[in-house]
Amino acid sequence: MKRLFRFVVQFFFFLSSFFLFISCGESRPVVIWTDRPEIVSYVEFFNVAQNKAKAVVVYKDKLASSLPPAKDEQNPDIVIGSFLRNARIKKNFASLDRVFNRRGINPSSLYAPLLEYGKINGRQYLIPVSFNVPTIIFSGKNQNLVGENMLIDSDKICDSGSLFNQKSKDEIFVKMGFAPSWNAAFMFHVAKMNGAEFAEKATSFSWNADSLTSSIEYLKSWSREKNGGTSAEQDFSFKYLYMPDYKLVNSDRCLFAYTKSDGFFNISSEQTENISFRWFSKDGKIFVNDDLASLALYRKTKNAGKAYEFITWFFSESTQKNLLERAMRMNLDTNTFGICNGFSSIKTVNERVFPSYYKNLLGNLPAESSLVAPLSLPARWESLKERVIIPYLVDATNTDSESAVKSIDERISVWRNQFN
């Protein structure tokens, strides 16, 4: 609540600043649309640090769906947020190729797979800002069941989890290593890593039906063979899994918990002192979470020069180092991780700066070569995933249900009627 209040105050401060710039006849500030509250504190720092260019922030909860602006809205100059790579990317945004020069951004400083994500026909329309990756956590005392490799796949989780399982004399589970049905986001990521290929198609999405079916069968087999079925998994969850993930794995009731990197590193180091982590992967590849943040230049901007100043300022190691130091010093964004609540897209920031604040990242960062960026996704992807894909996976992987499972197409039709 305090963080929300701080953001609201800063938000109106910048709106007031905008009108102040206009009324005083100053040069027009850079208008930034974003769905990331952290950008407010970054812009505040930019305005103090810069002598010429200034910027203001307009918060958009559904950023990707807000483009293009309504007729009565002022156009943004810069857009920063998630799900900006879609079929309308070239209609909404201008090429950013000119910022990659001697005085601008060195493309080799950014993660290559994420930089490629922002290209269309060889031109750069998006620059990655930050990203998160799926993460598996466990108690350090169970290291022997996990091994030393920083990458862990679903087969290893399944096998190690079954070794951890324990039943009472009444054949009731009192310990369960991990169950797919505990976390629908885990099931989604298994499907994604196994080739489900969720991607934008018109206003909805396409998928690889065969790969999705095989993923569902894989998860059902895991539940049946290792954990006695979905009902047994859910009974165990109801009895024991009522604490935060980091406490669960320390309780010795379960071996693993699934989260995202921001979900884990947002927790204080005191609470995670005895917790270890691994990057969830498939064949050595880490599939970046869908909501990675990108920056774009709005196609109809009339303030490109000042916008470029902000862009080159932001994408420098020294700037992001200062932003992290300032956040820690002023106790800003204490519930967010890193840059825009994720790993920075600048490799050296993660390698040189992050370990100063997140000690257990030293030597344990995701490798550039392992990262796989998402495919193009519709602007309303979060709603489609939450209301169509996740419920479908929950129903389709239930080993004990005898009811017919409503198809994805049927669920999309319902979604269109209810939420469009």
Side-chain angles (χ1 to χ4, degrees):
M1 183 61 68
K2 288 182 179 178
R3 182 167 162 253
L4 177 61
F5 176 77
R6 184 187 303 121
F7 171 71
V8 170
V9 170
Q10 290 176 314
F11 170 62
F12 282 107
F13 168 78
F14 279 100
L15 280 184
S16 300
S17 299
F18 172 76
F19 291 113
L20 180 63
F21 283 125
I22 298 300
S23 63
C24 292
E26 299 287 346
S27 61
R28 180 179 179 275
V30 177
V31 178
I32 301 175
W33 281 19
T34 186
D35 58 6
R36 302 298 174 112
E38 299 81 17
I39 296 297
V40 172
S41 62
Y42 300 167
V43 166
E44 182 183 23
F45 189 73
F46 171 78
N47 287 342
V48 172
Q50 297 294 105
N51 292 321
K52 295 181 180 180
K54 303 294 180 183
V56 294
V57 178
V58 176
Y59 183 79
K60 295 283 185 178
D61 185 47
K62 296 181 178 9
L63 178 65
S65 299
S66 301
L67 295 165
K71 290 182 180 179
D72 59 345
E73 283 189 297
Q74 173 152 10
N75 288 341
D77 300 304
I78 292 173
V79 180
I80 302 175
S82 302
F83 309 113
L84 301 182
R85 193 188 198 284
N86 53 51
R88 295 181 58 82
I89 188 170
K90 290 198 290 185
K91 292 183 179 180
N92 286 327
F93 307 128
S95 168
L96 284 162
D97 287 343
R98 64 175 282 191
V99 302
F100 295 99
N101 54 43
R102 292 181 182 178
R103 296 184 179 180
I105 303 168
N106 182 349
S108 64
S109 69
L110 305 173
Y111 288 90
L114 307 186
L115 194 61
E116 195 64 30
Y117 164 87
K119 289 183 179 179
I120 301 291
N121 298 328
R123 304 191 72 184
Q124 198 78 46
Y125 286 89
L126 301 174
I127 303 177
V129 171
S130 67
F131 66 98
N132 281 289
V133 296
T135 306
I136 303 296
I137 64 172
F138 59 96
S139 173
K141 63 187 174 185
N142 292 317
Q143 179 86 29
N144 61 310
L145 288 171
V146 181
E148 299 293 334
N149 195 327
M150 276 306 297
L151 301 183
I152 189 169
D153 60 23
S154 57
D155 288 343
K156 179 66 175 178
I157 296 170
C158 177
D159 294 340
S160 296
S162 66
L163 293 175
F164 186 86
N165 286 358
Q166 184 178 319
K167 291 183 177 181
S168 67
K169 293 179 180 179
D170 299 325
E171 289 297 299
I172 303 297
F173 282 101
V174 291
K175 291 186 178 184
M176 189 176 285
F178 187 79
S181 68
W182 291 348
N183 194 310
F186 173 84
M187 295 193 287
F188 170 81
H189 217 86
V190 168
K192 182 178 170 181
M193 293 193 303
N194 288 340
E197 296 179 345
F198 299 113
E200 179 185 29
K201 183 180 180 181
T203 58
S204 184
F205 65 96
S206 62
W207 65 96
N208 185 313
D210 290 340
S211 294
L212 184 57
T213 298
S214 65
S215 297
I216 288 168
E217 290 307 313
Y218 171 80
L219 293 167
K220 289 174 73 173
S221 176
W222 178 346
S223 291
R224 278 193 301 258
E225 296 176 13
K226 304 299 185 183
N227 300 331
T230 303
S231 292
E233 292 175 342
Q234 291 301 300
D235 287 345
F236 183 89
S237 175
F238 180 76
K239 289 178 182 176
Y240 302 114
L241 305 189
Y242 48 82
M243 296 182 288
D245 289 341
Y246 70 93
K247 289 186 177 181
L248 286 176
V249 294
N250 262 339
S251 72
D252 221 26
R253 286 291 182 184
C254 62
L255 177 59
F256 296 114
Y258 171 87
T259 185
K260 294 197 304 179
S261 46
D262 59 325
F264 178 60
F265 290 104
N266 280 339
I267 305 168
S268 69
S269 57
E270 291 81 9
Q271 293 173 312
T272 60
E273 184 177 2
N274 301 315
I275 306 296
S276 295
F277 63 95
R278 296 290 184 267
W279 308 127
F280 190 31
S281 65
K282 170 79 171 180
D283 297 330
K285 295 297 183 181
I286 303 171
F287 287 66
V288 172
N289 287 97
D290 294 336
D291 60 350
L292 74 90
S294 298
L295 177 146
L297 182 70
Y298 188 58
R299 190 165 179 259
K300 295 183 179 180
T301 178
K302 295 181 180 179
N303 205 15
K306 293 289 196 303
Y308 286 132
E309 287 187 46
F310 177 86
I311 293 168
T312 54
W313 170 85
F314 181 75
F315 285 102
S316 73
E317 179 184 341
S318 61
T319 292
Q320 295 199 5
K321 180 175 185 245
N322 289 335
L323 292 176
L324 281 165
E325 287 177 347
R326 179 174 181 268
M328 297 297 177
R329 184 175 65 251
M330 299 181 66
N331 199 29
L332 293 172
D333 301 325
T334 53
N335 294 321
T336 61
F337 162 54
I339 297 295
C340 275
N341 204 26
F343 287 109
S344 172
S345 62
I346 303 173
K347 291 178 283 188
T348 55
V349 172
N350 295 330
E351 295 162 357
R352 298 172 184 170
V353 184
F354 272 49
S356 299
Y357 304 106
Y358 311 101
K359 306 295 184 184
N360 46 9
L361 281 176
L362 184 62
N364 295 326
L365 288 162
E368 178 179 24
S369 60
S370 69
L371 298 179
V372 178
L375 300 174
S376 294
L377 295 166
R380 301 192 63 190
W381 176 240
E382 289 283 48
S383 177
L384 281 163
K385 183 166 73 172
E386 177 186 348
R387 300 181 185 279
V388 175
I389 300 175
I390 293 299
Y392 173 75
L393 286 172
V394 170
D395 291 347
T397 57
N398 190 330
T399 62
D400 303 310
S401 174
E402 297 180 357
S403 303
V405 177
K406 186 186 297 183
S407 72
I408 290 181
D409 285 322
E410 290 175 300
R411 294 169 193 266
I412 291 174
S413 179
V414 172
W415 177 84
R416 282 200 180 106
N417 290 333
Q418 292 184 350
F419 303 104
N420 267 357

